[in-house]
Amino acid sequence: MLISLIQQHFPEIEALFSEKSMDEFLSCAFENLYLYHFGLGTYIRNSLLKEGGGLLELFRQCGLHEKDEISHFIIELFYLHEKMNKRKPAKICRFSKKDAL
């Protein structure tokens, strides 16, 4: 339930990005997503994690209370979601039997 509620907000988050900024976001290494703490993270904390809001309350029921930690988790989930759904297909190498010999 929590993941599906988070995913409902992905179109709203995606709308914040231009095509170029989304490309930059997706080319960021996973371990460097902390760089989005003050921009995207601030938006998430102020808009999606409002006091009394359903999303924040669900996180609190799961034992997560710090908005900074929650917003980073949402950034990570959004990043993975976008990577899986927007990644360009890899080129497929095709070999003939004689190439393999």
Side-chain angles (χ1 to χ4, degrees):
M1 180 170 176
L2 180 60
I3 299 296
S4 63
L5 185 58
I6 295 168
Q7 287 177 324
Q8 289 175 11
H9 293 282
F10 285 174
E12 179 180 349
I13 295 170
E14 185 176 3
L16 300 171
F17 289 85
S18 67
E19 187 174 329
K20 180 182 177 186
S21 62
M22 180 61 78
D23 288 343
E24 290 170 359
F25 177 70
L26 294 177
S27 66
C28 179
F30 186 82
E31 60 270 10
N32 292 332
L33 289 176
Y34 70 89
L35 296 170
Y36 289 86
H37 175 78
F38 289 109
L40 182 56
T42 300
Y43 175 83
I44 291 170
R45 288 186 298 282
N46 293 340
S47 299
L48 305 182
L49 299 174
K50 294 179 181 178
E51 288 299 326
L55 187 57
L56 181 59
E57 291 308 312
L58 276 174
F59 273 105
R60 288 184 171 161
Q61 289 172 13
C62 294
L64 294 168
H65 300 278
E66 295 296 322
K67 287 183 176 184
D68 284 339
E69 292 175 5
I70 297 168
S71 67
H72 187 73
F73 178 66
I74 292 172
I75 290 170
E76 290 176 337
L77 288 177
F78 177 70
Y79 175 86
L80 294 172
H81 175 268
E82 292 298 304
K83 282 284 228 186
M84 291 181 352
N85 291 306
K86 306 249 184 232
R87 185 181 311 161
K88 293 178 181 151
K91 291 183 179 178
I92 299 172
C93 294
R94 300 194 188 275
F95 296 98
S96 68
K97 281 186 175 180
K98 73 176 187 181
D99 292 336
L101 299 175

